[in-house]
Amino acid sequence: DTGVSQDPRHKITKRGQNVTFRCDPISEHNRLYWYRQTLGQGPEFLTYFQNEAQLEKSRLLSDRFSAERPKGSFSTLEIQRTEQGDSAMYLCASSLAGQGASDCFFGQGTRLTVV
Amino acid sequence: DAKTTQPTSMDCAEGRAANLPCNHSTISGNEYVYWYRQIHSQGPQYIIHGLKNNETNEMASLIITEDRKSSTLILPHATLRDTAVYYCIVTFRGQGGKLIFGQGTELSVKP
């Protein structure tokens, strides 16, 4: 396992379309995070899972956004009815919480452009 | 909001030490200081973390003041590949907690 992987790396979509991103965390990590980063800003927390349970959602996560981690392994982030303001880098990160906790490791991100 | 304050940008000559400061005056007793960096178009990369004592690893050194209200990340021999945005983050360890990023410091290493 070489780290957190995200797919696709780049996505261009038309306004109003739905998009889905996938994140595969480091295999033994039980926590998975989604962040969003716009140009010139630091990453902003969106939501996180511990195993399959979604434990926290930011106010940034509007009703058009939904995230799942059905089997406690990979996760998907879906954006419905995309808007130009959704254009950003979407970052996934994972960590191990609890005994022997690890630090947080990030994927390379998915860059979304809404045209 | 981020609990840290960092300069917006800094320059460093290649081969020299880069010293990146961070203020975290409201840090609580159990919070750690973490440093991440983000090279253009990549995800953030973990560098180092510390609680009270100074720490060193293969990438950098972290100096934390005795009152823990500020810290300095030191890259001892900066290279062009160290050009990146460096984020200082204060957070609890062991809970896998979310990270609150500020604006970071854009470090430019020049030949």
Side-chain angles (χ1 to χ4, degrees), chain A residues 9 31 33 35 37 40-43 45 48 56 89 91 95-98 101-109 111, chain B residues 34 36 38-46 48-49 85 87 89 93-104:
Chain A
R9 291 292 309 278
R31 287 208 175 180
Y33 303 82
Y35 290 80
Q37 185 174 26
Q41 304 296 313
F45 169 79
Y48 88 90
E56 186 175 349
M89 174 80 85
L91 293 160
S95 69
L96 179 66
S102 79
D103 302 301
C104 207
F105 295 88
F106 284 80
Q108 299 284 56
R111 182 168 295 284
Chain B
Y34 275 77
Y36 280 77
Q38 189 172 25
I39 296 170
H40 183 62
S41 295
Q42 297 184 22
Q45 175 191 21
Y46 165 81
I48 197 168
H49 73 275
V85 178
Y87 296 99
I89 300 167
R93 178 167 169 78
Q95 302 174 20
K98 67 186 182 188
L99 301 174
I100 306 298
F101 289 81
Q103 299 278 58

Side-chain angles (χ1 to χ4, degrees), chain B residues 65-108:
Chain B
T65 58
E66 191 169 347
D67 64 7
R68 303 208 325 122
K69 292 185 177 181
S70 65
S71 61
T72 301
L73 178 75
I74 301 172
L75 308 178
H77 305 287
T79 71
L80 299 179
R81 289 175 297 179
D82 292 322
T83 292
V85 178
Y86 287 76
Y87 296 99
C88 170
I89 300 167
V90 166
T91 190
F92 294 98
R93 178 167 169 78
Q95 302 174 20
K98 67 186 182 188
L99 301 174
I100 306 298
F101 289 81
Q103 299 278 58
T105 296
E106 186 167 7
L107 175 69
S108 295

Side-chain angles (χ1 to χ4, degrees), chain B residues 46-60:
Chain B
Y46 165 81
I47 301 173
I48 197 168
H49 73 275
L51 180 64
K52 297 179 182 178
N53 300 323
N54 298 337
E55 302 288 344
T56 296
N57 63 19
E58 65 279 4
M59 289 183 68

Side-chain angles (χ1 to χ4, degrees), chain A residues 1-89:
Chain A
D1 189 295
T2 57
V4 179
S5 63
Q6 293 187 245
D7 182 69
R9 291 292 309 278
H10 303 274
K11 178 72 176 179
I12 299 173
T13 190
K14 292 183 178 179
R15 185 163 51 94
Q17 297 294 306
N18 299 343
V19 294
T20 300
F21 310 139
R22 177 180 171 123
C23 172
D24 287 90
I26 293 172
S27 57
E28 64 268 25
H29 285 183
N30 53 6
R31 287 208 175 180
L32 186 149
Y33 303 82
W34 285 100
Y35 290 80
R36 180 174 68 188
Q37 185 174 26
T38 54
L39 200 61
Q41 304 296 313
E44 297 173 295
F45 169 79
L46 292 178
T47 187
Y48 88 90
F49 294 82
Q50 178 149 330
N51 301 313
E52 63 274 10
Q54 189 172 18
L55 296 186
E56 186 175 349
K57 291 193 290 186
S58 163
R59 286 171 293 177
L60 295 174
L61 211 64
S62 77
D63 292 344
R64 297 184 296 104
F65 287 69
S66 62
E68 294 183 345
R69 194 183 183 198
K71 297 182 180 179
S73 57
F74 73 92
S75 175
T76 58
L77 178 68
E78 181 183 16
I79 308 174
Q80 296 182 328
R81 305 180 302 283
T82 53
E83 301 172 356
Q84 287 190 321
D86 297 331
S87 294
M89 174 80 85

Side-chain angles (χ1 to χ4, degrees), chain B residues 8-61:
Chain B
T8 303
S9 63
M10 292 181 63
D11 290 341
C12 178
E14 188 178 19
R16 303 297 294 270
N19 298 285
L20 291 90
C22 179
N23 288 323
H24 31 79
S25 58
T26 60
I27 192 170
S28 67
N30 295 329
E31 287 183 306
Y32 284 71
V33 179
Y34 275 77
W35 284 82
Y36 280 77
R37 74 179 182 184
Q38 189 172 25
I39 296 170
H40 183 62
S41 295
Q42 297 184 22
Q45 175 191 21
Y46 165 81
I47 301 173
I48 197 168
H49 73 275
L51 180 64
K52 297 179 182 178
N53 300 323
N54 298 337
E55 302 288 344
T56 296
N57 63 19
E58 65 279 4
M59 289 183 68
S61 295

